[in-house]
């Protein structure tokens, strides 16, 4: 067993209560990873609760144990209590407490350096203040890291069941774009084989995640595609979903999931952005995707106060929609040659 795995396992054995935090706008990977780990920890006799900064999108609500997740927006005092009592605080699928939203992050800051924090994540540049870290940006998903951890500690053989396998399979499947993104490895497929053998209903999971579009969600996608801007001389494209459009199609969390990937499906395009002006939110969300060596983690950090991975990242803008689009266009021009080299 690797040293870090052993250290974390020892901490778990000593602990009684744990909080596992996922990131804002939770996705299949953070939820699958956190819920699988919590499920096994519960079987080990520990109190472990998953906390999400905001609501679980509809396309993931079928996942086992989602009914047990504490949503910070709705259960502030319960979350406060859980954090107060926790011996260990896990950051799952994100690299800093800042990714849990302004208010929860502020709360967490008070515990940094006082309680033991553990990070299990595959994003670049993990927060150095976190005590114990399993951080591997070469892994395609955090769920694969959780699977490896459970296997190495023997917890998998002792406690994993069909639901645990379903959760981890969902995490791996969603973050690898169904086993097609660059970091999908032999190890990823070995994990998938073991998960299916354990009972993960792979076809059912695909259908739940990808084939449950509402008519409105499909129309939103159609709108985004029809209005896609292409800047061929820089190998870039972008799409904008403004508030009026989202409202027209009765936007619900999760409805924009996956849209950004279409911007990179064009031949000759190596960089794309989806700009979303979320209702009930002052700041504008940006999603970035790239091909090859154009590094969107660096791009997101430099221009839009964000981050992520080399080929998939996100950021925010507090400027107006028009100014945000202008800033993006300018940033694309600044990086024109670098993008084009990968197109
Ligand atoms: P998405 O575009 O799917 O929301 O996010 C793509 C990747 O970038 C994900 O791995 C996500 O965790 C990361 N990401 C998205 N938004 C932000 C952000 O505002 N800050 C940082 N640091 N990472 C982000
Ligand atoms: Mn992930």
């Amino acid at each position: 067993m690797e040293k870090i795995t052993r250290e974390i396992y020892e901490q778990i054995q000593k602990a009684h209560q744990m909080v596992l935090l996922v990131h804002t706008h939770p996705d299949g990977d953070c939820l699958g990873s956190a819920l699988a780990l919590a499920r096994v920890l519960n079987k080990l006799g520990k109190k472990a609760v998953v906390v999400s900064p905001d609501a679980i999108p509809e396309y993931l609500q079928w996942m086992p144990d989602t009914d047990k997740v504490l949503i910070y927006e709705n259960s502030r005092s319960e979350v406060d209590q859980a954090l107060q009592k926790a011996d260990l605080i896990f950051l799952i699928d994100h690299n800093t407490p800042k990714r849990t939203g302004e208010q929860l992050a502020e709360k967490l800051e008070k515990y940094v350096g006082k309680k033991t924090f553990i990070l299990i994540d595959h994003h670049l540049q993990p927060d150095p203040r976190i005590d114990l870290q399993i951080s591997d940006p070469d892994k395609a998903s955090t769920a694969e890291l959780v699977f490896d951890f459970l296997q190495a500690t023997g917890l998998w053989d002792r406690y994993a069941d069909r639901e645990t396998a379903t959760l981890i399979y969902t995490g791996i499947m969603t973050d690898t774009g169904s086993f097609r993104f660059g970091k999908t490895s032999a190890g990823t497929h070995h994990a998938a084989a073991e998960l299916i053998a354990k009972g993960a209903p792979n076809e059912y999971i695909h259908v739940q995640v990808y084939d449950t579009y509402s008519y409105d969600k499909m129309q939103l996608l159609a709108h985004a595609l029809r209005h896609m801007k292409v800047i061929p001389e820089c190998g870039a494209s972008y799409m904008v979903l403004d508030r009026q459009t989202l409202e027209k199609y009765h936007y619900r969390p999760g409805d924009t999931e996956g849209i950004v990937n279409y911007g990179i499906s064009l031949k000759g395009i190596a960089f794309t952005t989806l700009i979303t002006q979320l209702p009930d939110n002052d700041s504008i969300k940006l999603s970035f995707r790239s091909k090859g060596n154009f590094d969107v983690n660096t791009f997101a950090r430099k221009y839009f106060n964000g981050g992520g991975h080399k080929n998939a990242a996100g950021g925010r803008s507090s400027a107006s929609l028009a100014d945000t689009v202008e800033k993006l266009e300018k940033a694309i021009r600044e990086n024109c040659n670098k993008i084009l080299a990968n197109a």
Side-chain angles (χ1 to χ4, degrees):
M1 203 189 302
E2 259 187 88
K3 187 164 165 267
I4 182 68
T5 304
R6 194 177 54 244
E7 281 173 0
I8 293 175
Y9 189 36
E10 282 167 8
Q11 290 288 336
I12 287 173
Q13 282 169 317
K14 281 192 286 179
H16 300 287
Q17 307 211 15
M18 291 166 252
V19 171
L20 290 77
L21 294 152
V22 301
H23 55 73
T24 51
H25 302 290
D27 59 14
D29 190 29
C30 68
L31 285 171
S33 301
L35 287 168
L37 187 55
R39 193 173 171 88
V40 168
L41 295 175
N42 288 332
K43 292 199 179 195
L44 187 64
K46 310 290 179 184
K47 270 202 162 169
V49 63
V50 176
V51 170
S52 172
D54 43 19
I56 297 173
E58 227 168 66
Y59 78 102
L60 296 174
Q61 283 175 8
W62 62 274
M63 289 170 76
D65 297 342
T66 48
D67 54 319
K68 296 178 191 145
V69 176
L70 288 182
I71 310 292
Y72 184 63
E73 275 179 355
N74 312 332
S75 315
R76 278 166 202 247
S77 60
E78 271 176 88
V79 173
D80 289 352
Q81 272 181 27
L83 284 172
Q84 227 160 45
K85 287 189 197 153
D87 308 304
L88 299 177
I89 299 175
F90 286 80
L91 305 183
I92 304 288
D93 193 40
H94 52 109
N95 55 3
T96 162
K98 293 188 184 76
R99 293 276 291 122
T100 59
E102 218 171 295
Q103 295 181 18
L104 187 49
E106 198 179 305
K107 194 137 286 166
L108 290 170
E109 282 300 327
K110 295 192 188 121
Y111 293 114
V112 175
K114 298 201 180 72
K115 291 196 182 238
T116 304
F117 277 71
I118 298 176
L119 174 149
I120 305 181
D121 181 39
H122 66 139
H123 292 88
L124 295 157
Q125 289 138 312
D127 191 330
R129 300 172 306 160
I130 304 305
D131 307 282
L132 294 165
Q133 309 193 356
I134 295 181
S135 165
D136 187 353
D138 287 330
K139 279 281 190 292
S141 66
T142 297
E144 192 177 327
L145 289 171
V146 170
F147 177 76
D148 291 346
F149 176 80
L150 295 175
Q151 284 252 317
T153 52
L155 290 168
W156 182 262
D157 289 334
R158 276 153 68 199
Y159 299 115
D161 58 8
R162 187 174 192 267
E163 284 72 22
T164 322
T166 300
L167 290 162
I168 293 182
Y169 189 94
T170 307
I172 293 178
M173 184 194 81
T174 51
D175 254 35
T176 57
S178 298
F179 304 92
R180 73 191 171 98
F181 295 153
K183 283 169 187 159
T184 308
S185 66
T188 313
H189 283 282
H190 278 300
E194 167 66 17
L195 296 165
I196 293 172
K198 218 11 139 196
N202 51 322
E203 187 192 0
Y204 171 83
I205 297 171
H206 276 263
V207 170
Q208 292 305 306
V209 171
Y210 298 118
D211 300 337
T212 53
Y213 272 47
S214 64
Y215 186 73
D216 274 336
K217 180 172 172 175
M218 196 64 88
Q219 294 305 310
L220 188 66
L221 168 63
H223 175 100
L225 295 178
R226 185 160 305 284
H227 296 91
M228 185 190 294
K229 285 253 187 192
V230 182
I231 308 172
E233 64 276 22
C234 294
S237 68
Y238 68 87
M239 291 175 274
V240 179
L241 291 172
D242 61 23
R243 184 168 294 147
Q244 291 77 3
T245 303
L246 291 166
E247 278 166 0
K248 178 175 172 196
Y249 295 116
H250 310 102
Y251 168 82
R252 304 173 75 154
D255 280 358
T256 56
E257 199 65 39
I259 292 181
V260 63
N261 296 311
Y262 288 93
I264 203 84
S265 299
L266 279 174
K267 193 171 178 179
I269 297 300
F271 173 60
T272 196
T273 305
L274 174 68
I275 300 180
T276 314
Q277 188 184 32
L278 289 171
D280 313 325
N281 202 321
D282 291 337
S283 69
I284 289 169
K285 180 176 157 49
L286 295 99
S287 286
F288 307 105
R289 298 292 184 271
S290 69
K291 284 180 190 150
N293 280 325
F294 185 66
D295 179 354
V296 289
N297 171 53
T298 305
F299 185 93
R301 278 173 190 269
K302 182 168 176 192
Y303 298 100
F304 292 103
N305 196 25
H309 313 276
K310 191 172 91 177
N311 297 121
R316 313 221 140 246
S317 162
S318 45
S320 72
L321 186 58
D323 288 352
T324 303
V325 171
E326 199 184 310
K327 185 174 176 186
L328 175 69
E329 288 226 11
K330 197 159 165 267
I332 290 172
R333 304 275 168 206
E334 272 177 40
N335 289 273
C336 197
N337 291 333
K338 270 198 243 168
I339 300 168
L340 210 51
N342 293 284

